[in-house]
Amino acid sequence: HDVIKEVVDNFTLQLEDRKGKVELALHAQNDTIDADEVHLSNLVNNLVDNALKYSRENTPPVVKLTTQSNGKKFSLKIEDNGIGMNRDTLKKIFERFYRAHTGNIHNVKGFGLGLSYVKTMVEAHDGDIKAESILGKGSTFTVDLPLKKA
């Protein structure tokens, strides 16, 4: 939870500029995982940054981060109210260098490496990631990571 809060704090000015907000619902009873703090921070940063990058014009971005845990895993869900993706795009987003065709959005810069990196890091930590999206409504990324063994 500390890493998530720290990452979200870094987006405060960007969100204020766009009259957006982040909602934190950190419900995980156990949030202790065995992870590289830098990579975990980068992973969360990439997902929040994408949520803002692919937000809708003239709509304040809302990004909701929710955590839960059970006996074995820690789950982080990142939901946004952005432009969303179609099914074909959704199938390819974790491929290296893949960039979604965003029509006339010219402010989105990058090399198509962010989500590939996120998936690689999640898998390096023995976790899973899945993405769901509705075009025009937004996207949800769910990251499941194993809890630290006692």
Side-chain angles (χ1 to χ4, degrees):
H1 288 156
D2 292 341
V3 170
I4 292 167
K5 288 178 197 164
E6 195 175 307
V7 167
V8 167
D9 283 348
N10 293 330
F11 287 97
T12 305
L13 288 175
Q14 196 176 340
L15 282 158
E16 283 173 4
D17 263 4
R18 302 187 50 208
K19 302 195 181 1
K21 65 179 178 178
V22 167
E23 297 172 2
L24 292 178
L26 307 179
H27 300 304
Q29 296 292 316
N30 181 353
D31 67 341
T32 307
I33 58 175
D34 221 346
D36 181 293
E37 194 173 336
V38 172
H39 286 302
L40 185 65
S41 179
N42 287 341
L43 182 160
V44 176
N45 187 78
N46 261 308
L47 292 171
V48 174
D49 188 49
N50 277 357
L52 296 176
K53 258 191 214 175
Y54 296 99
S55 59
R56 288 179 282 166
E57 231 175 293
N58 306 319
T59 302
V62 177
V63 183
K64 184 175 183 181
L65 289 87
T66 308
T67 65
Q68 292 177 318
S69 61
N70 62 24
K72 293 185 177 202
K73 69 181 180 181
F74 171 82
S75 290
L76 168 63
K77 185 186 283 190
I78 299 177
E79 301 170 79
D80 66 56
N81 65 336
I83 61 173
M85 297 174 270
N86 65 31
R87 215 175 283 140
D88 288 341
T89 298
L90 202 55
K91 284 183 205 163
K92 297 176 185 164
I93 56 169
F94 294 113
E95 292 175 14
R96 277 181 73 172
F97 306 116
Y98 179 75
R99 302 267 339 263
H101 298 291
T102 52
N104 60 0
I105 297 178
H106 300 293
N107 60 338
V108 177
K109 310 254 187 292
F111 297 102
L113 292 171
L115 289 175
S116 169
Y117 167 81
V118 166
K119 184 175 174 61
T120 300
M121 286 306 110
V122 168
E123 290 175 348
H125 288 87
D126 294 321
D128 291 303
I129 184 167
K130 71 175 191 200
E132 300 164 277
S133 192
I134 298 171
L135 196 57
K137 298 268 190 232
S139 302
T140 301
F141 287 84
T142 305
V143 175
D144 291 326
L145 297 167
L147 287 167
K148 185 175 177 122
K149 292 183 176 52

